[in-house]
């Protein structure tokens, strides 16, 4: 099997679930980065943050509750073979958290416990779901920092060296509660998206007039209430983030 993922160091399928992550803090804003409670940096494709209480955390960087910094999107595992009794290379591992997978026929489906396919591929989306982000804060007197509850941020592409983000990868933020979070010195009291899209966007030729190959963040079925920002976007803010879906939130 092969794993295809961006970044020089890989920590695939990180699974952070069913924790109380409360009253933590960092001084990331003095240098760079963020995440008062949880920090996910480049090279963690297919991560899952689920069913956590993330409350009362503080960061002088981006993301008072949680920060996704850099590129950690969908993890693709290729060359997968499974037998009809649910055995094969991965056994029950691939279905442990009910992530969306793509089998050899390219049809999105729940990761199967049974059924057979040969030389298929499985896609594990990076997901933040069923968490409570409560009363987290990002603040710095020295500079603008984003995302009181959650920040999903790209970083400048060192190869292109043109100031554009390398993108964040594909991320799904679903079924969470964002309440009472504060971006005291920036945008996005509940959620801040910065640099979701960048150098992965085609500038000419095939795909330049479509969204093919663009990274995407979906914000779906969340409760986003009573958050605040010192600059803009008390609930959600977007900067350099063109391919974003915001659907069925309250």
């Amino acid at each position: 099997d092969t794993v295809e993922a961006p970044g020089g160091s890989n920590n695939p399928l990180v699974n952070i679930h069913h924790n109380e992550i409360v009253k933590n803090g960092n001084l990331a804003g003095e240098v760079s980065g963020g995440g008062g409670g949880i920090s996910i940096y480049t090279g963690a494709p297919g991560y899952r943050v689920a069913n956590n209480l993330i409350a009362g955390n503080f960061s002088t960087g981006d993301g008072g509750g949680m920060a996704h910094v850099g590129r950690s999107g969908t993890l693709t595992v290729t060359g997968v073979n499974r037998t009809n009794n649910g055995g094969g290379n991965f056994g029950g591992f691939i279905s442990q958290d009910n992530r969306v997978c793509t089998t050899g026929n390219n049809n999105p489906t729940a990761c199967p416990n049974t059924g057979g396919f040969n030389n298929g591929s499985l896609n594990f989306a990076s997901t933040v779901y069923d968490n409570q982000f409560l009363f987290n804060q990002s603040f710095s007197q020295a500079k603008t920092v984003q995302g009181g509850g959650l920040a999903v941020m790209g970083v400048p592409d060192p190869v292109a060296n043109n100031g554009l983000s390398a993108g964040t990868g594909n991320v799904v933020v679903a079924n969470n509660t964002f309440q009472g979070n504060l971006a005291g010195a920036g945008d996005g009291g509940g959620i801040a998206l910065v640099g979701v899209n960048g150098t992965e966007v085609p500038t000419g030729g095939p795909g330049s007039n479509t969204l093919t190959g663009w990274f995407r963040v979906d914000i779906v079925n969340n409760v986003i209430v009573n958050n605040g920002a010192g600059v803009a976007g008390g609930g959600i803010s977007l900067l350099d983030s063109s391919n974003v879906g915001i659907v069925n939130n309250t």
Side-chain angles (χ1 to χ4, degrees):
D1 303 320
T2 61
V3 173
E4 302 170 354
S9 59
N10 291 312
N11 296 286
L13 296 178
V14 171
N15 196 358
I16 302 171
H17 63 97
H18 294 94
N19 301 288
E20 289 189 1
I21 303 171
V22 299
K23 297 182 181 179
N24 301 287
N26 67 38
L27 300 177
E30 303 301 321
V31 185
S32 64
I38 299 173
S39 301
I40 302 285
Y41 283 84
T42 294
Y47 73 79
R48 173 186 182 242
V49 177
N51 301 108
N52 300 287
L53 171 63
I54 304 168
N57 301 289
F58 173 80
S59 177
T60 59
D62 303 298
M66 173 182 165
H68 163 135
V69 181
R71 188 168 164 182
S72 295
T74 301
L75 175 74
T76 299
V77 183
T78 61
V80 178
N81 300 306
R82 289 177 60 83
T83 63
N84 286 325
N85 62 5
N89 299 42
F90 285 86
F93 171 74
I94 60 171
S95 58
Q96 66 175 348
D97 51 24
N98 296 316
R99 301 197 207 189
V100 174
C101 296
T102 302
T103 57
N105 59 7
N106 239 5
N107 290 327
T109 180
C111 298
N113 285 315
T114 60
F117 57 87
N118 294 317
N119 198 29
S121 64
L122 299 174
N123 294 328
F124 296 89
S126 289
T127 54
V128 180
Y129 66 91
D130 287 336
N131 302 284
Q132 296 184 68
F133 289 85
L134 308 178
F135 305 108
N136 302 285
Q137 181 180 7
S138 61
F139 180 79
S140 174
Q141 287 187 314
K143 63 180 183 180
T144 298
V145 291
Q146 326 286 347
L150 169 66
V152 179
M153 313 189 69
V155 298
D157 190 328
V159 177
N161 194 29
N162 57 8
L164 293 177
S165 163
T168 60
N170 300 320
V171 182
V172 177
V173 181
N175 303 332
N176 304 282
T177 297
F178 294 88
Q179 181 175 2
N181 301 287
L182 174 65
D187 304 327
I191 304 172
L193 305 182
V194 180
V196 169
N197 303 109
T199 54
E200 93 283 4
V201 176
T203 57
S208 60
N209 295 319
T210 70
L211 296 179
T212 302
W214 294 37
F215 294 134
R216 181 178 176 88
V217 173
D218 284 292
I219 301 174
V220 183
N221 294 336
N222 300 281
V223 175
I224 304 170
V225 59
N226 293 337
N227 303 283
V231 180
I236 304 173
S237 68
L238 292 82
L239 176 65
D240 293 337
S241 301
S242 301
N243 193 20
V244 176
I246 302 175
V247 181
N248 291 337
N249 301 284
T250 300

